[in-house]
Structure formats: structure tokens, C-alpha cells
């Protein structure tokens, strides 16, 4: 499994090619911003009927990551569902797939801004969760330390040999890790955006996802 | 037969004019269901089109809309309004003439719907929007005639397909509607006639006197054209001299970027300070209008422009057209030349300026084609189904519809005459449910069937969303460029989002002929400051790169087969002779491949003469085949006539590379993941309504809310590869950017006659390819390696130690 290992708050973490974060010592896999039910929500609001395959695709990729990492604990870092209605719209097959993934694992849903309420799926629902040295929450807090969050869908651009390659990216500084969005139907916010420049401290790094994740100083 | 009313005849007489034969013929045929007029620029085309209208309105009894005029340009609609107003007033006709485009104020638009003018001048998009309103039947109640201007240009694009579907709708509302098309010279008038008329109505073609042949030649310069490139900077002094000698010169370029660079260089050399302007589609509207106004007032001696000035706005006193770069297409060249000497029966004067040595050959071939009246063009194929999908949605926005009736209406449009019911139903299904193999939207269908069997929008609010996304013009995502000021500085124009993303503060680029410095991005506006002290980084405007047409390519091959070349300048003839000595010249029925070592790498140069797009595709397919055969290709570059590939190993037997089955198979797999396909998909998905360009206020909420259309493409490819939009995308790509048809034709023509010539160095004909821009590195492992290397370098530079990769 391709991953980029780095040390954060005294822990060894691995940024996986898929955009998931793996914590080997805890056998813990963390994914953020799945946005399940995106296509359903778009259609419900009178928009176009997008290809209704994103739930399947997102869950398939998650299943692959779980196969490879054999994680015992899964943390979904918020905005797991596009909205509450979208959560209710999962098909039988998709619910079954979620249940299969949950079987034999501890599963924690962190609340996001898109999916505040509880949903009728297994697992624990929490606003934030601390495990050992690290705290998991949806949106980064300015003063937090040892924090893992999502929400911003960061992406970063690397220019080299006349081309520019943009990929979803992990952002890492001394106090926080921000995960890229894991869901199939998600876009990204450039690391050079004012908001992200404000959140990330000096010396921040960006780890670009892709077949071989690679680490660069965060483009500002 | 009706006569031209006396007051109009008197007006002609008072002006000292006589009615042209083609104007009379169009008048005599005014009762026909459809008529196509083919006339040169300046041939009184507009008057020919409107004469029957003026005659029918002469007695002042008509109530409501009488004639609809549709043109591809907003500016043309405004221009015609002016040019029609004067005669109408002079003849003493109390008629209302108004235009309606994207620029028309909302209040006026509203009034036009309630109380339409006698003559309404508009564009295909604005007309499509009008047909989407529930009150369309009332607005078009009195409509008698429709005049489609510049129909030759519309017939080449989806805008024309859209227009014909809108006309089919109007014809349904007004069965007696009569159509007139006005066209420049084209190679296949019958095809345009079939496009214009309601299927299967007949359509008479009226040919005006084409006027005298143009006075056209290649510009003689002291300096030789360079080996490669498209800037034609060498010709600046000679072009300036021509500008000096003429009243007004139009200087045409094939791309916006080239126009910008040329204009910049022209200014640097313009010691006399001649008033020269620039005009192209990426400039801000105000800027363009200022140039247009100055032009009409006769204040400019020259305008550097692109296809944005191709169409028939009357620029008055143009007495010279200069085409920079090979024209690529004889028909377009002839139409451009027609922009000069806008007076009937005066020969137009034009000069061609080849940008490089090979273009000398191409320009001479084009000159010969113009003299022989040998125009080119490729048949366009059936109407694209993405446009059809948009019109099903437009029909739904106007009110409930019956599927059978809508099918009959749409197949009465020329481009869609061959559409089958099954194809139509698939489009309807797409509009209603998305048309996916997985049925997911039973609750949220876009279109619903009512108990009486008709279809309607589930959510009436969707009508607004549909209207906001009408149109087939693909403006790739662009960002506005403004001068940085306290409160929003002057708008300069637009640049591609991709180009904007590549800028870092301090970078400079050219826009509207000035060098500006990138300062930053604020609320999706690129802010710049004026800068005159630096050499600019060049804006990459999207402007299409046209491929040299098949007919022109054939002419070039015919020319290469000559024993000597008296019609070419010495330097170019000498270059070809040298090629024949050290290697050989490409021939029409054979395929020449050169192989040589250069700069430590093996090269093959394939002279397919299939046009830029096909040669590009050939490069992608061949490198893929070479990778399979372990020939380690590293990259390639394509021009209109050849593809140059470099790699680690020499090609010794090219035959296995050119097996058509293998190439076609490679095409299937390669196409799937290709950027061209993704771009094509994005265009078709937008037109068909799957991607909304405009949604009320959404663009402000931050970029992470939207995701790339590439993701939709990848998802469909993985889970629903036979989806309607994937079929449309494949069709579009094959006849557009991929242009596989020309590769097939080339391989068929060549058969087994492949000549591999091994040389000990670069050949004269291959040399210019080394200077070409747009080199394509072979994808795959290479990109990951690049990333890894660059990442390590950056980390080292930042004084950081690379943590071990897991």
C-alpha cells in the first residue's frame, strides 16, 4: 500500500494514496468528507441527475483501504453525508455495504456542518474524539494542538518541468493535519487560498495524493 | 407575381441604384417556404433578405412580429438595425425594428415579449431562450419570415443546430413561416440548403454574381521566414509598410495569442505612431466596442484581429486584408479576403504572410486553390444529440409536451432529419431520469409523465435553471482581468482559469496589447497592474488550432511531387530540393518515415499530412504501440504534416506500428482515459444539461463546493460506460479533436507502401519540428517520477530531510 509516512505530535502517521490517513499503532483509519448522497441531493433540488454511482465508488475505495490496512477503528471526520436527507436516501445495497464495512470494527462518525444530526446507521456519533495524543474533529480550531480535521477539501499544485499537477492534498503543520476530501463527488480548495493560508502555520507541508503520495512545502 | 411597391422602387431610383438580379429573384421567390442566397460580401445581401419584408410591411397593416433576423454575432444584429433603420425611414415605413441579445436591458426584453416589434434581430441563443417561455405562441403569433444571416458559419457549429431546432419550434407555431438563408461562398450549397429548409421542404439556391476574382498574393519580404513558429515577427517591417500604403488594413491571425504577440511587436516597430488597434474574443466588450467604433469612424489604419472579425459587420473602408500564418482552410481564406473592398464588383486585395518555411508551401498551395475556385470542407455528419437534449429541456420549460409530436418537430430540422425514434427516446430518457443503467431517480425525475401521457418538469423551478444554461458556446472557464485600483479598475478582458492558476504574483503577460503584471486573485477576478519594463510571459488563450484541410494537404502533396518549384521563393524551393537529395519527399500514395539519431536520442518522423489533430492522435497512438513493443518512447510533437517521436530505441520495422486494427484498438483504450475525451465530455455534458454553468449565486460559495467534470467522466467510464453521454462524447471526439477518420483515410491510401529511410542526421523537412512548441511527454510512470524528483529537490531546498516513504 502506497503511503507517505510522517511524524506528527510524536506519532507515526501515514498519508495514503487514496486520501485516507492511517495510524498504524492504533490500527486506525481516518477519512474525511465522504459527502455520500451528493447526486441524490442535487436531483432533489431540481438540478441535473448526476451519475448515481458516487456512493458505491466512495465505499469501494474505503473497502480497499480497510482491506489493505486491516484497521480496527474507522473515523469518518464529518460531512460524511451531503445532508440529512441524503443520508436517508442510501439504497439498501449501500446500507448493506456500510454495515459490512462496520462489522468487527469500531466506527466513529464525527459530526460535520453538512450532517449535524444522528443517522440511522451503526457506529458512534461524536462532535469530536480524542484518542491517545490526537484529537479528531471536523473543522480545525485556531488554538488546537495535535488535531486531525477535514472540512476544507485542500488540494495543492506542484509546477515542474513545464506542467502543473494539482491533486487533493493533506496539509500538515506543527499543530494540525487537515485531510483532503475522500468522497468521489468532491472538489478541492487550493492550499494558496486565503482561508487555508490563514489556518496553516509557517513551515506547513502538503502531501499530494496519487499513486505515490509525495510531500512538498505547502504552496501558499 | 407581386411587384416591388412603388415607394420602395422610388427609393432605389432616388438613390441612383438598381435592384440587383439576385435581390429581384429573392423578392420573386418571397412566397417559397425556403430560399438560400449565396453572395459575396458587399453584394447587397442584407437588402436582398429584407426586401420582401419591407414590401409586405409597406401598407402598414401588419400587426405584431413579422420578420425574425438571426445572426451569429450580437454586434451584427445591432449593425443591421442601424443599416435597416435608414432605408425604412427614407422610404417612409412606420415600422419598429429592434434587436434582442444578451446585452439588451431586461425591461426592454420584457416589453418585447408583450409587444413585439415588426422586425426582431437576434442570435440563436436569445431565440432559443424566447422559445422556452410559456408565452412564446403569443409573441410569435404574427411571424411570417425568418432571415438567417451568415448561415455558412452557423452551419459549421452547434449554434446552427440549436437554431434549426428553435426554427422547427417556430414553424410548429406558425406553419406558414418562410425561411431565407444568406451565405458567403461555400463548397457545397446543397448541404446548407438542406440545413436551412424544413425537412423535407425543397429549398431553391440563388447564386449572386460572385464578382471579380480577388487580387491575392504572398507578401514579399527582405528577410526569410524562420524554420518554425507562428509569430511571423520577421514580417513586421513589410507589414507596416503595407499598412502605410493602404487606407485601412485588417491583419488576421489564426489564434488570439498570436494576435497579441504580433500586435505587441507591431507597436514596438511602429515609429510613425500609426493608429493600430487589436480585436479578439478574449478582450473586454468595452474594449472591443471602442475599437469597432474607431474603425467605423475611419480612425484606424490597421486592426490586428482573429476570427472575431470574420463575419459580415460593415467596416467601411478596408482596402487590404493580410492573413498572418497559413490559412489552413481555403474556404475561410476566401471569406476573409472578402472583408476587403466592401464594394460590389471591386476586387478584394489580400496578402498572405507565411509564419515559417513550411507555411510558404502551404500559402502557395492555398493561393492556387483560391485561383482555381477550389473550396474545401468536410461534411458535418448528423446533428449532435447533446443539443437535442438541451432542446428537450427547453421544450419542457415552455410547458408540457407530447413525445411523439416533439419527435416529429425535431426531425423536421435539417441536421436532425435522420434521427431515429429510438435515439430520440434515449435523449428524452436522459432528460427525464438521467438514463442510467442504475435507476436511482424515481422520486426526483427531472421530467415526469402526466396522466394524459405528456411530459412536464417535476419541479417548475427547474425552468429557471434550464433557461440560465441555454446555449452551446463553450467558454472554457475564464476569469476576468482588471487593473488593480481602489474600487475595481478597468476591465481588460479574460484569461483561461488554467493559465491564471499558473501565474504567481510578479509574472507578466500580454492582454489587449499591453504588458500587465499579475498581482493576485480577488473574488475570482485577476488583478493586474500596468508594466512596460519586462518581456511578457504569454497568455495562453484557448483559441482553436485549426487543422489544415484535406484538400489543402492534397494540394501540398501534389506540389511536392513537382520536379521543380518555380512558384516558390528560392529559399523554400532549395529547402525541398535538399530534402529530396538527402532523404526523399513525402508522396500522396506512400507514407514516408524517417529515422535518425539526434542529441543522443532516437527519432522517427512520420509524414502523414493528416492535419494537426490527426497527427497529434497518431503521436499518442504510435507512442502507445511503441511502449508495448518496448521501444521506450519519451515524447512527441505534431504539426499539420508530420509527427516527430523521440525515444531510447530505434524503430527498424514500422509496419507493425501501423496495423489499423491495433491502432483502432489502441484508440479505444487510450481514448477512455484521455484528456481530449474529458474535455469533449465536459462540453457535451454542459450542453446536454448534466453540468450547469450558471447556477444562481453558487460560484461565490467557495471552490470546494464544485467538483471537476473529469470526476463525472471517470465515474461513468467505470460504472456506466455505455451511457448516452459517453456515446455522444465518443462521436464528438472522433470527428473533432481526435480526427481518427483522417488517420484511417491516410492508412487506407498508403496501404503497405511505407518507406522507412534511415538517416545519419536530421533531415531538412524534420528540422523545423524540433523547434515546435507543444511537445507531449509520454504519460504514465513518467509523471510519478517527475513528482518524486521535484518533491525531493524542493525539500532539500527548504532544508528539510525527506522522511522515508512507506
Amino acid at each position: 500500500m502506497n503511503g507517505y509516512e510522517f511524524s506528527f505530535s510524536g506519532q507515526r502517521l501515514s498519508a495514503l494514496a487514496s486520501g485516507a490517513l492511517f495510524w498504524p499503532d492504533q490500527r486506525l483509519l481516518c477519512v474525511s468528507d465522504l459527502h455520500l448522497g451528493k447526486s441524490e441531493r442535487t436531483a432533489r433540488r431540481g438540478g441535473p441527475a448526476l451519475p448515481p454511482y458516487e456512493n458505491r465508488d466512495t465505499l469501494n475505495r474505503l473497502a480497499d483501504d480497510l482491506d489493505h490496512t486491516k484497521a480496527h477503528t474507522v473515523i469518518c471526520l464529518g460531512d460524511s453525508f451531503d445532508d440529512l436527507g441524503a443520508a436517508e436516501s442510501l439504497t439498501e445495497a449501500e446500507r448493506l455495504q456500510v454495515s459490512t464495512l462496520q462489522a468487527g470494527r469500531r466506527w466513529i462518525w464525527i459530526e460535520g456542518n453538512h450532517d449535524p444530526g444522528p443517522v440511522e446507521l451503526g457506529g458512534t456519533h461524536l462532535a469530536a474524539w480524542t484518542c491517545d495524543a490526537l484529537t479528531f474533529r471536523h473543522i480545525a480550531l485556531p488554538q488546537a494542538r495535535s488535531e486531525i480535521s477535514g472540512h476544507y477539501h485542500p488540494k495543492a499544485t506542484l509546477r515542474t518541468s513545464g506542467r502543473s499537477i494539482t491533486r487533493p492534498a493533506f496539509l500538515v503543520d506543527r499543530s494540525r493535519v487537515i485531510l483532503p476530501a475522500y468522497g468521489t463527488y468532491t472538489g478541492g480548495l487550493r492550499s494558496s487560498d486565503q482561508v487555508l493560508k490563514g489556518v496553516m502555520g509557517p513551515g506547513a507541508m502538503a502531501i499530494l495524493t496519487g499513486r505515490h503520495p509525495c510531500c512538498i512545502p505547502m504552496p501558499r | 407575381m407581386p411587384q416591388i411597391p412603388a415607394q420602395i422602387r422610388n427609393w432605389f431610383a432616388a438613390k441612383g441604384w438598381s435592384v440587383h438580379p439576385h435581390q429581384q429573384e429573392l423578392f420573386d421567390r418571397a412566397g417559397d417556404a425556403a430560399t438560400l442566397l449565396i453572395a459575396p460580401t458587399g453584394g447587397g445581401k442584407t437588402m436582398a433578405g429584407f426586401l420582401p419584408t419591407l414590401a409586405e410591411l409597406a401598407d402598414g397593416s401588419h400587426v405584431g412580429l413579422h420578420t425574425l433576423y438571426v445572426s451569429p454575432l450580437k454586434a451584427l444584429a445591432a449593425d443591421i438595425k442601424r443599416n435597416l433603420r435608414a432605408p425604412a425611414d427614407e422610404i417612409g415605413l412606420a415600422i419598429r425594428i429592434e434587436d434582442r441579445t444578451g446585452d439588451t436591458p431586461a425591461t426592454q426584453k420584457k416589453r418585447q415579449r408583450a409587444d413585439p416589434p415588426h422586425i426582431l434581430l437576434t442570435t440563436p441563443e436569445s431565440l432559443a431562450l424566447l422559445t422556452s417561455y410559456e408565452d412564446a405562441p403569443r409573441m410569435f403569433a404574427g411571424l411570417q419570415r425568418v432571415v438567417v444571416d451568415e448561415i455558412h458559419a452557423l452551419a459549421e457549429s452547434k449554434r446552427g443546430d440549436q437554431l434549426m431546432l428553435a426554427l422547427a419550434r417556430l414553424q410548429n407555431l406558425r406553419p406558414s413561416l418562410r425561411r431565407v438563408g444568406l451565405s458567403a461562398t461555400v463548397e457545397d450549397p446543397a448541404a446548407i440548403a438542406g440545413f436551412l429548409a424544413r425537412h423535407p421542404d425543397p429549398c431553391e439556391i440563388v447564386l449572386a454574381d460572385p464578382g471579380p476574382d480577388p487580387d491575392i498574393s504572398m507578401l514579399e519580404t527582405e528577410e526569410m521566414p524562420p524554420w518554425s513558429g507562428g509569430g511571423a515577427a520577421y514580417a513586421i517591417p513589410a507589414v507596416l509598410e503595407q499598412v502605410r500604403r493602404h487606407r485601412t488594413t485588417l491583419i488576421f491571425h489564426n489564434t488570439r495569442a498570436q494576435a497579441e504577440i504580433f500586435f505587441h511587436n507591431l507597436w514596438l516597430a511602429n515609429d510613425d505612431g500609426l493608429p493600430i488597434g487589436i480585436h479578439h474574443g478574449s478582450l473586454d466588450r468595452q474594449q472591443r466596442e471602442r475599437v469597432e467604433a474607431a474603425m467605423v469612424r475611419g480612425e484606424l489604419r490597421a486592426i490586428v484581429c482573429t476570427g472575431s472579425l470574420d463575419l459580415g459587420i460593415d467596416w467601411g473602408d478596408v482596402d487590404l486584408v493580410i492573413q498572418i500564418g497559413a490559412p489552413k482552410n481555403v474556404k475561410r481564406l476566401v471569406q476573409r479576403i472578402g472583408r476587403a473592398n466592401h464594394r460590389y464588383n471591386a476586387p478584394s486585395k489580400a496578402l498572405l504572410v507565411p509564419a515559417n518555411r513550411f507555411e510558404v508551401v502551404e500559402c502557395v498551395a492555398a493561393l492556387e486553390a483560391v485561383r482555381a475556385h477550389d473550396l474545401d470542407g468536410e461534411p458535418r455528419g448528423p446533428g449532435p444529440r447533446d443539443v437535442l437534449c438541451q432542446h428537450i429541456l427547453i421544450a419542457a420549460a415552455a410547458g408540457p409536451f407530447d413525445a411523439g409530436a416533439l419527435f416529429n418537430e425535431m426531425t423536421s430540422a435539417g441536421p436532425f432529419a435522420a434521427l431515429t425514434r429510438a435515439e430520440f427516446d434515449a435523449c428524452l430518457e436522459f432528460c427525464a431520469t438521467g438514463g442510467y443503467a442504475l435507476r436511482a431517480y424515481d422520486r426526483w425525475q427531472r421530467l415526469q409523465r402526466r396522466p394524459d401521457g405528456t411530459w412536464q418538469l417535476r419541479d417548475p423551478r427547474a425552468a429557471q435553471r434550464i433557461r440560465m444554461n441555454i446555449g452551446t458556446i463553450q467558454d472554457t472557464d475564464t476569469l476576468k482581468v482588471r487593473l488593480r485600483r481602489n474600487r475595481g479598475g478597468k476591465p481588460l478582458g479574460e484569461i483561461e482559469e488554467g493559465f491564471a492558476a499558473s501565474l504567481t504574483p510578479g509574472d507578466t503577460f500580454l492582454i489587449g496589447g499591453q504588458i500587465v503584471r499579475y498581482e493576485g486573485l480577488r473574488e475570482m477576478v485577476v488583478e493586474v497592474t500596468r508594466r512596460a519594463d519586462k518581456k511578457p510571459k504569454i497568455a495562453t488563450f484557448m483559441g482553436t488550432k485549426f487543422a489544415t484541410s484535406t484538400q489543402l494537404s492534397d494540394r501540398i502533396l501534389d506540389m511536392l511531387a513537382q520536379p521543380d518549384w518555380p512558384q516558390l521563393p528560392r529559399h523554400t524551393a532549395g529547402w525541398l530540393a535538399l530534402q529530396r537529395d538527402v532523404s526523399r519527399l513525402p508522396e500522396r500514395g506512400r507514407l514516408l518515415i524517417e529515422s535518425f539519431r539526434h542529441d543522443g536520442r532516437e527519432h522517427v518522423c512520420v509524414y502523414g499530412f493528416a492535419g494537426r489533430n490527426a497527427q497529434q492522435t497518431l503521436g499518442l497512438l504510435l507512442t502507445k504501440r511503441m511502449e508495448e513493443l518496448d521501444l521506450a518512447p519519451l515524447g512527441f510533437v505534431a504539426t499539420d504534416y508530420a509527427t516527430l517521436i523521440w525515444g531510447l530505441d530505434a524503430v527498424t520495422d514500422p509496419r507493425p506500428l501501423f496495423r489499423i486494427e491495433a491502432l483502432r484498438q489502441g484508440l479505444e483504450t487510450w481514448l477512455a482515459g484521455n484528456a481530449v475525451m474529458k474535455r469533449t465530455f465536459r462540453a457535451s455534458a454542459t450542453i446536454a444539461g448534466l453540468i450547469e454553468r450558471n447556477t444562481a449565486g453558487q460560484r461565490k460559495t467557495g471552490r470546494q463546493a464544485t467538483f471537476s467534470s473529469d470526476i463525472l467522466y471517470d465515474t461513468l467510464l467505470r460504472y456506466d460506460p455505455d451511457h448516452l453521454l459517453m456515446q455522444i462524447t465518443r462521436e464528438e471526439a472522433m470527428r473533432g479533436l481526435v480526427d481518427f477518420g483522417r488517420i484511417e483515410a491516410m492508412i487506407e491510401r498508403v496501404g503497405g507502401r511505407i518507406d522507412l529511410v534511415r538517416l545519419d542526421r536530421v533531415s531538412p523537412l524534420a528540422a523545423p519540428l524540433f523547434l515546435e512548441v507543444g511537445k507531449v511527454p509520454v504519460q504514465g510512470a513518467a509523471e510519478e517520477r517527475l513528482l518524486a524528483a521535484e518533491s525531493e529537490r524542493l525539500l532539500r531546498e527548504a532544508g528539510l530531510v525527506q522522511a522515508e516513504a512507506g
Side-chain angles (χ1 to χ4, degrees):
Chain A
M1 164 115 254
N2 288 321
Y4 182 89
E5 282 200 15
F6 61 101
S7 145
F8 175 73
S9 284
Q11 308 297 318
R12 298 293 288 172
L13 300 177
S14 178
L16 301 188
S18 61
L21 182 76
F22 186 54
W23 187 358
D25 290 350
Q26 300 284 343
R27 305 285 296 271
L28 181 152
L29 186 81
C30 179
V31 290
S32 189
D33 299 272
L34 302 181
H35 285 272
L36 296 171
K38 177 101 181 175
S39 58
E40 196 266 354
R41 177 171 175 244
T42 309
R44 178 163 21 103
R45 295 178 153 204
L50 300 175
Y53 304 106
E54 87 281 18
N55 295 346
R56 193 195 290 184
D57 192 67
T58 303
L59 294 172
N60 284 349
R61 288 187 297 115
L62 185 52
D64 277 352
D65 277 347
L66 288 173
D67 267 0
H68 281 105
T69 58
K70 310 275 185 284
H72 289 167
T73 302
V74 173
I75 300 180
C76 297
L77 213 43
D79 287 1
S80 304
F81 299 93
D82 216 45
D83 67 0
L84 215 51
E88 284 154 13
S89 77
L90 290 197
T91 64
E92 244 354 272
E94 287 156 359
R95 279 165 198 279
L96 194 65
Q97 199 176 0
V98 173
S99 306
T100 312
L101 295 180
Q102 289 180 332
R105 294 191 171 94
R106 180 160 58 162
W107 194 285
I108 296 168
W109 303 102
I110 302 285
E111 289 166 8
N113 53 319
H114 280 256
D115 55 351
V119 294
E120 319 212 332
L121 289 165
T124 314
H125 296 267
L126 297 171
W129 184 63
T130 303
C131 171
D132 203 351
L134 304 181
T135 297
F136 295 83
R137 70 166 59 87
H138 182 56
I139 305 181
L141 292 180
Q143 305 307 328
R145 308 208 137 260
S146 307
E147 176 195 68
I148 313 282
S149 65
H151 178 64
Y152 292 106
H153 301 205
K155 64 179 178 184
T157 300
L158 177 63
R159 273 185 286 276
T160 172
S161 309
R163 46 172 129 173
S164 109
I165 303 169
T166 301
R167 303 225 172 131
F170 296 80
L171 303 183
V172 184
D173 68 13
R174 222 175 272 235
S175 316
R176 64 186 60 75
V177 177
I178 299 184
L179 266 58
Y182 193 84
T184 296
Y185 286 176
T186 54
L189 184 67
R190 283 181 201 285
S191 62
S192 55
D193 190 277
Q194 287 301 342
V195 176
L196 284 173
K197 283 199 288 194
V199 173
M200 299 305 293
M205 310 294 287
I207 304 168
L208 273 62
T209 58
R211 220 182 321 160
H212 302 282
C214 75
C215 182
I216 57 172
M218 183 180 103
R220 282 176 181 267
Chain B
M1 191 179 289
Q3 290 294 309
I4 298 178
Q7 64 224 82
I8 298 179
R9 268 185 285 131
N10 293 342
W11 176 76
F12 266 92
K15 288 268 173 191
W17 297 343
S18 56
V19 177
H20 289 314
H22 61 270
Q23 292 172 333
Q24 181 67 48
E25 192 170 352
L26 242 65
F27 182 83
D28 295 342
R29 296 193 167 277
D32 288 5
T35 316
L36 174 65
L37 171 66
I38 294 187
T41 338
K45 233 188 310 193
T46 313
M47 184 45 88
F50 279 103
L51 197 51
T53 296
L54 297 180
E56 288 167 33
L57 289 172
D59 67 4
S61 65
H62 186 86
V63 178
L65 188 58
H66 180 282
T67 295
L68 186 69
Y69 164 93
V70 189
S71 89
L73 292 181
K74 290 184 230 175
L76 201 48
D79 202 43
I80 296 289
K81 185 171 76 171
R82 276 193 303 275
N83 293 347
L84 213 51
R85 188 73 263 168
D89 289 345
E90 288 163 19
I91 296 167
L93 301 177
I95 53 176
R96 269 171 63 206
I97 306 168
E98 291 174 17
D99 60 346
R100 182 192 181 93
T101 65
D103 300 341
T104 309
T107 48
Q108 192 181 344
K109 282 186 178 171
K110 209 165 166 188
R111 193 177 47 71
Q112 284 173 342
R113 272 167 64 194
D115 177 22
H118 296 105
I119 299 176
L120 184 70
L121 314 156
T122 189
T123 59
E125 292 73 25
S126 287
L127 177 61
L129 183 59
L130 280 176
T131 65
S132 80
Y133 293 115
E134 284 171 349
D135 61 6
R138 207 186 64 223
M139 175 168 183
F140 293 106
L143 186 65
Q144 301 290 321
R145 304 183 69 234
V146 57
V147 177
V148 182
D149 204 357
E150 308 280 359
I151 190 171
H152 61 281
L154 286 168
E156 282 178 359
S157 79
K158 291 185 180 179
R159 301 183 69 202
D161 301 320
Q162 167 146 66
L163 173 60
M164 290 309 142
L165 287 171
L167 291 191
R169 165 49 53 100
L170 293 185
Q171 195 97 48
N172 230 354
L173 300 174
R174 298 285 302 161
S176 61
L177 178 69
R178 293 160 284 154
R179 310 179 180 197
V180 167
L182 309 177
S183 170
T185 319
V186 286
E187 82 288 358
D188 187 2
I192 308 271
F195 176 83
L196 168 70
R198 169 176 58 184
H199 183 77
D201 285 355
C203 178
E204 193 67 31
I205 298 167
V206 176
L207 296 166
D209 177 1
D213 276 353
D215 164 12
I216 173 172
S217 54
M218 206 157 71
L219 180 68
E220 307 259 335
T221 55
E222 299 261 317
E223 202 154 333
M224 279 191 289
W227 289 113
S228 191
Y234 77 96
I236 296 270
V239 167
L240 264 180
E241 182 52 33
Q242 291 296 329
V243 170
R244 245 177 246 120
R245 278 196 225 157
H246 291 83
R247 270 195 315 277
T248 310
T249 306
L250 289 185
I251 306 172
F252 277 104
H253 287 261
N254 289 335
T255 70
R256 294 170 189 179
Q258 280 169 6
E260 283 281 356
I261 302 165
F262 194 86
F263 181 66
H264 181 66
N265 289 330
L266 207 56
W267 258 117
L268 294 180
N270 185 8
D271 299 331
D272 305 352
L274 296 171
I276 297 173
I278 180 165
H279 190 287
H280 63 70
S282 291
L283 294 179
D284 186 70
R285 182 157 59 88
Q286 281 181 333
Q287 300 249 78
R288 271 181 285 156
E289 283 171 355
R290 252 204 349 255
V291 170
E292 287 162 15
M295 184 77 181
V296 170
R297 288 193 304 269
E299 290 169 4
L300 293 178
R301 294 293 297 279
I303 297 192
V304 175
C305 58
T306 62
S308 64
L309 284 194
D310 263 348
L311 297 171
I313 298 168
D314 198 335
W315 293 117
D317 259 358
V318 175
D319 54 349
L320 176 66
V321 165
I322 295 182
Q323 159 75 34
I324 308 279
K328 304 290 169 204
N329 172 312
V330 179
K331 184 170 57 178
R332 199 171 49 246
L333 175 64
V334 167
Q335 289 162 3
R336 278 186 178 170
I337 296 169
R339 312 290 307 128
N341 266 0
H342 231 176
R343 289 184 312 277
Y344 196 50
N345 268 335
S348 335
K349 187 171 173 194
L351 288 169
L352 300 189
V353 181
N356 60 50
R357 207 66 62 87
F358 193 84
E359 285 192 353
V360 173
V361 183
E362 197 172 326
C363 282
V364 170
L367 284 177
E368 290 175 356
V370 171
R371 288 190 192 116
H373 300 274
D374 181 14
L375 300 188
D376 43 12
E378 324 271 338
R380 236 189 113 227
R385 284 176 288 164
D386 48 3
V387 181
L388 195 80
C389 290
Q390 186 179 108
H391 267 257
I392 292 175
L393 291 174
I394 290 173
F401 63 84
D402 174 74
L406 188 62
F407 172 71
N408 291 337
E409 176 187 305
M410 288 179 154
T411 47
S412 78
F416 296 95
L419 185 83
T420 66
R421 180 63 196 250
E423 287 170 326
F424 171 82
D425 286 340
C427 291
L428 177 58
E429 180 67 24
F430 167 78
C431 293
T433 69
Y436 300 105
L438 172 71
R439 296 202 56 93
Y441 295 114
D442 290 343
R443 280 175 72 198
W444 310 120
Q445 287 194 196
R446 221 171 185 193
L447 304 182
Q448 266 177 347
R449 229 168 160 176
R450 307 202 305 177
D452 67 357
T454 58
W455 294 84
Q456 69 171 13
L457 291 174
R458 171 180 59 80
D459 182 348
R461 288 171 302 178
Q464 186 56 18
R465 297 180 77 145
I466 291 166
R467 290 190 187 114
M468 285 176 72
N469 287 283
I470 284 178
T472 59
I473 303 172
Q474 289 307 303
D475 32 22
T476 45
D477 279 338
T478 54
L479 298 178
K480 285 211 177 338
V481 180
R482 267 177 194 281
L483 282 178
R484 175 175 270 184
R485 288 275 161 76
N486 297 339
R487 291 186 194 287
K490 199 169 97 167
L492 297 176
E494 291 177 340
I495 56 175
E496 269 176 278
E497 201 169 331
F499 177 69
S502 76
L503 295 169
T504 41
D507 281 348
T508 56
F509 60 97
L510 272 171
I511 185 160
Q514 42 185 310
I515 299 176
V516 293
R517 178 182 193 273
Y518 175 67
E519 299 291 350
L521 194 64
R522 207 175 69 180
E523 284 164 17
M524 306 314 287
V525 172
V526 175
E527 293 193 322
V528 298
T529 49
R530 279 221 176 84
R531 239 339 133 91
D533 55 357
K534 265 198 190 172
K535 205 178 147 75
K537 215 174 157 172
I538 301 309
T540 52
F541 296 103
M542 52 275 178
T544 338
K545 281 191 176 163
F546 294 104
T548 302
S549 71
T550 307
Q551 287 90 326
L552 196 50
S553 298
D554 283 349
R555 277 187 174 269
I556 294 169
L557 283 170
D558 288 346
M559 198 189 298
L560 296 185
Q562 292 172 199
D564 51 24
W565 300 279
Q567 74 268 57
L568 292 177
R570 282 254 300 281
H571 50 74
T572 305
W575 174 52
L576 294 181
L578 185 65
Q579 167 73 19
R580 189 165 49 198
D581 285 350
V582 303
S583 173
R584 52 197 291 178
L585 282 167
E587 294 169 59
R588 199 207 279 244
R590 314 184 71 87
L591 180 64
L592 172 64
I593 300 175
E594 291 173 337
S595 136
F596 47 84
R597 217 176 155 70
H598 175 73
D599 218 7
R601 295 212 167 134
E602 281 296 333
H603 290 76
V604 276
C605 194
V606 183
Y607 297 93
F609 281 83
R612 182 179 292 275
N613 294 338
Q615 291 289 146
Q616 181 90 8
T617 300
L618 190 63
L620 288 159
L621 295 181
L622 287 179
T623 47
K624 190 173 173 303
R625 287 283 291 148
M626 288 168 73
E627 207 150 51
E628 286 163 8
L629 298 171
D630 280 335
L631 291 168
L634 288 167
F636 71 91
V637 68
T639 67
D640 278 304
Y641 63 100
T643 303
L644 177 72
I645 303 172
W646 51 94
L648 299 178
D649 301 319
V651 173
T652 48
D653 180 12
R655 271 163 199 84
L657 289 177
F658 287 90
R659 225 163 266 135
I660 189 78
E661 293 75 30
L663 283 181
R664 194 177 288 129
Q665 210 173 31
L667 184 73
E668 287 295 316
T669 46
W670 161 75
L671 266 185
N674 181 263
V676 165
M677 288 296 276
K678 289 179 177 171
R679 201 155 88 209
T680 310
F681 172 81
R682 178 185 165 114
S684 285
T686 306
I687 291 170
L690 183 67
I691 299 170
E692 294 179 322
R693 266 171 312 172
N694 304 311
T695 44
Q698 227 183 43
R699 196 156 157 116
K700 281 188 196 136
T701 63
R703 300 298 282 163
Q704 84 267 37
T706 59
F707 58 97
S708 139
S709 64
D710 292 1
I711 292 174
L712 293 179
Y713 175 83
D714 289 338
T715 305
L716 278 176
L717 186 65
R718 196 168 309 142
Y719 298 102
D720 212 339
D722 295 325
H723 186 258
L724 176 72
L725 269 181
M726 299 301 267
Q727 297 171 24
I728 295 175
T729 303
R730 247 170 257 134
E731 270 171 30
E732 291 284 307
M734 289 300 258
R735 64 183 180 189
L737 290 165
V738 172
D739 216 359
F740 193 65
R742 279 180 80 175
I743 298 179
E744 283 187 308
M746 182 263 289
I747 289 176
E748 199 168 301
R749 195 177 65 222
V750 163
R753 291 177 295 276
I754 298 177
D755 304 312
L756 178 69
V757 181
R758 178 72 189 176
L759 303 168
D760 54 7
R761 60 192 159 104
V762 182
S763 74
L765 219 47
L769 280 119
F770 283 86
L771 306 169
E772 275 289 324
V773 289
K775 298 194 170 79
V776 182
V778 171
Q779 299 272 345
E783 186 160 282
E784 296 295 325
R785 282 215 303 272
L786 274 176
L787 269 177
E790 183 65 8
S791 149
E792 204 185 306
R793 194 187 66 75
L794 285 170
L795 288 176
R796 218 181 305 117
E797 208 170 79
L800 299 162
V801 187
Q802 165 110 336
E804 83 212 57

